[in-house]
Amino acid sequence: MTAAVRQLEEIVGRNEAPADSVIEKVRSLIETLAAHGPLGLTALARESGIAKTTVHRLCSELVEWGVLDRSAGAFTLGRRLAELGHMAPNSGSLAQVGHPYMAELFATFRLATNLSVLHDKTSIRCVDKIWVVGQDPANYWMGIGTRAPAYCTAAGKAIVAFSPLDVFEAVVAQPLVAFTPFTARGPEGFAREIEEVRRTGVAWTRNEIRMNTLGVAVPIVTEYGKVLGALSCGLGIRATRTDELIKAMKVQARRIAQQMA
């Protein structure tokens, strides 16, 4: 048993349930937040299937540990979770290789910059992020480890557009839930978007997963056509220098792909 597991058992308590079931509850809470982003207590209990009183107790302890954060009544994944993830060996990973290129892009444009990968053919997962805390929170919601649907995120569209056809088919085989009035509806509309992404090499999301958000992404593709992930930036509502930004993003995505080859 690792020290981390022992610490986790102490945090969640010894008397409520056997260790395995307690850890399973914590895992469910973390996975639920990774999949759905910030959630209030009631919503987190509903989505995870765990009793509200248990969610309150576990989350309070996890916030104290730093594994979760709480802001404006909503729980999110915490910095400590990202720190622990970075401590794991990841030599040659996309996050490790891509980080310096993300940093260069961020230094130039000062925009939230994400690196994402395909998670399960229908969603994406953020594996690295650089941002300024406290600025434009609407565009900064997706943190390291967070998952989101591929069909309504810029990174997701960029990845799907250049992936094998079975990835597109898996996405449209599921219900394309409308998170806002601007979310793409139906396979036909999504297919048209994907064709445009293939043509331009650029994917956009505009108020599709959250209102007042604007994001742009480019795929990271090797010279052999393998899609490694996507590089994305969250823009303000009054975005400027977009042509310059997109050009720089494509350059950095190409450099990352070359380093990963």
Side-chain angles (χ1 to χ4, degrees), residues 230-249:
L231 185 62
S232 62
C233 288
L235 286 70
I237 298 302
R238 294 180 292 276
T240 60
R241 301 172 65 193
T242 54
D243 290 343
E244 183 182 351
L245 171 64
I246 291 169
K247 182 178 179 179
M249 291 176 69

Side-chain angles (χ1 to χ4, degrees), residues 25 28-29 31-33 35-56 59 75 179:
K25 290 175 184 176
S28 179
L29 293 174
E31 291 286 353
T32 299
L33 289 172
H36 296 278
L39 291 173
L41 177 62
T42 301
L44 181 54
R46 181 180 64 249
E47 296 295 336
S48 66
I50 300 173
K52 189 173 179 179
T53 54
T54 301
V55 172
H56 180 271
C59 286
F75 293 103
F179 292 94

